[in-house]
Amino acid sequence: MALTIAGLAQTASADTLRLLTWGGYAPEDVVAAFEAETGHTVEVTKSNNEEMIAKLRATGGGGFDLAQPSQDRIAGPQAEFGIYKPMDMSKIDESQFIPSMLAATKGNTTVDGAVYGVPHVWGTSGLVVDTAKAPGVKDYTDLCGADVAGKVSYRLKRPTLIGFAFAMGLDPFAAYGDEAAYTAIMEKVEAKLKDCKPNVKTYWGGGDELMNLVRSGEVVASMAWDTGGWKLNADNPDITFVAPASGALGWIDTFVLPAKGGADQAAYDWINYVMRPEVAAKITAAAGNFTASKGADEFASDELKARYQASFPPEAVDNIKWYPPVPAGLEVIEGGVLDRVQAAN
């Protein structure tokens, strides 16, 4: 009888955690160890920012117990659609986080005085360059140079618009609260991207596509994530991630609680578990990006630490442009620009 009661108690405290996340953020070995320690079960659905917001909007914040959108996708969607619930910070071990990153994310995800997100994985986008074939590419607009004509690539997505704006001496983030000013900046970027179009070999859509283009030599310089550059560097030391002169674009993927999630305690247990430094290092190994876990870099591989330090000397880190929350309405402006660039001859 005692064994039966104990078993029921464990079952009552164990939940199924429905996790909406990115590839690499919930490695199988980490999930298995968490399940063994807590008794919870984890169901992982891999997604991206656009799909996460779409799924949560469609259900009013239902279907999942924990999601991981980037920090710039929280305040706006929450204010507009109410798809998240506030974090109970008393249930999160804040001592495990890098203090400055936790403070920044809390600030950027606060709506009506409530905190809606805490940081998990971070990284940057910038330039992936074959330094032997494209030594002159130091900033985003260098992709439009005659020396790399027909051999560059980037995505038709927000990072390209933002990166080109900064490289043109503009500050799109400062214009986030002014639609007219932001539209004016985007018009200048649109003209630049149309002029640059003959230089573009192709607009890449997925990481594997880009990696193959660079490995084959068809593309010698591209906008891409730091992890892509570091993976290519492992095969070819001439190819690496370069932090642009105008600043790499920094992102932070967070933890948020969907409004209709039903396993909050399991969600908090998962957050506290994966932020342990030794566990966070396993996620870095799987995803290739560092996390906001304090001290986790001590557990990273020597190779990854070396590539990180080569791409990011202190001045490049200080120059990272961190994505702020996106006000409602800007995606419509950006979408129009991207559509027109795509359609241009």
Side-chain angles (χ1 to χ4, degrees):
M1 178 64 73
L3 288 174
T4 303
I5 293 173
L8 288 173
Q10 182 179 15
T11 302
S13 64
D15 290 307
T16 295
L17 175 67
R18 298 166 299 173
L19 176 62
L20 184 62
T21 189
W22 301 75
Y25 288 15
E28 291 183 5
D29 59 335
V30 172
V31 170
F34 172 77
E35 291 179 334
E37 179 174 315
T38 65
H40 299 310
T41 300
V42 182
E43 294 179 356
V44 178
T45 299
K46 297 177 183 178
S47 189
N48 57 46
N49 273 320
E50 289 76 14
E51 289 179 358
M52 285 185 204
I53 303 303
K55 287 177 185 292
L56 295 175
R57 278 188 62 186
T59 59
F64 298 94
D65 307 298
L66 188 63
Q68 297 211 246
S70 299
Q71 71 166 357
D72 59 320
R73 305 299 182 94
I74 297 175
Q78 174 58 22
E80 193 170 357
F81 309 117
I83 54 178
Y84 308 125
K85 68 177 76 170
M87 285 275 179
D88 181 349
M89 297 305 298
S90 71
K91 295 185 177 180
I92 292 175
D93 184 356
E94 296 190 36
S95 69
Q96 295 192 131
F97 292 80
I98 297 170
S100 61
M101 197 167 292
L102 177 61
T105 301
K106 287 167 67 175
N108 282 328
T109 63
T110 294
V111 179
D112 295 331
V115 173
Y116 283 85
V118 294
H120 185 213
V121 177
W122 69 274
T124 67
S125 61
L127 298 165
V128 170
V129 180
D130 186 327
T131 56
K133 298 177 180 177
V137 176
K138 306 293 186 182
D139 212 340
Y140 304 105
T141 47
D142 293 336
L143 296 173
C144 304
D147 55 328
V148 290
K151 292 189 174 182
V152 306
S153 185
Y154 42 81
R155 294 190 303 163
L156 283 182
K157 296 284 188 180
R158 163 180 286 149
T160 299
L161 303 180
I162 299 296
F164 267 74
F166 275 115
M168 293 166 66
L170 307 169
D171 188 343
F173 294 162
Y176 261 21
D178 185 337
E179 283 198 20
Y182 195 73
T183 297
I185 290 175
M186 287 298 108
E187 287 174 349
K188 293 177 182 177
V189 173
E190 178 180 337
K192 181 67 174 178
L193 290 176
K194 287 178 177 177
D195 289 343
C196 195
K197 195 163 185 177
N199 259 37
V200 179
K201 172 72 175 180
T202 186
Y203 297 118
W204 64 270
D208 290 343
E209 176 188 4
L210 175 64
M211 302 279 270
N212 291 333
L213 287 166
V214 176
R215 284 194 179 105
S216 69
E218 294 177 83
V219 165
V220 297
S222 176
M223 283 187 69
W225 296 292
D226 42 25
T227 50
W230 295 334
K231 287 178 182 177
L232 289 165
N233 181 257
D235 301 327
N236 183 341
D238 289 332
I239 302 171
T240 192
F241 178 82
V242 174
S246 60
L249 302 177
W251 52 267
I252 299 174
D253 289 336
T254 67
F255 291 113
V256 298
L257 300 173
K260 296 180 181 177
D264 288 359
Q265 188 56 54
Y268 289 122
D269 289 346
W270 174 261
I271 294 170
N272 290 328
Y273 181 81
V274 299
M275 294 308 292
R276 296 177 187 172
E278 66 277 12
V279 178
K282 294 180 180 179
I283 293 172
T284 291
N289 287 101
F290 288 91
T291 75
S293 170
K294 186 169 62 177
D297 55 323
E298 296 177 11
F299 296 87
S301 70
D302 292 340
E303 293 83 1
L304 183 56
K305 281 191 286 189
R307 293 188 183 106
Y308 171 83
Q309 291 167 359
S311 295
F312 284 108
E315 61 272 18
V317 174
D318 292 342
N319 198 31
I320 292 174
K321 305 297 192 292
W322 295 102
Y323 283 108
V326 182
L330 294 195
E331 290 181 339
V332 175
I333 297 171
E334 295 168 347
V337 171
L338 295 169
D339 289 343
R340 290 189 292 274
V341 171
Q342 177 76 67
N345 295 321

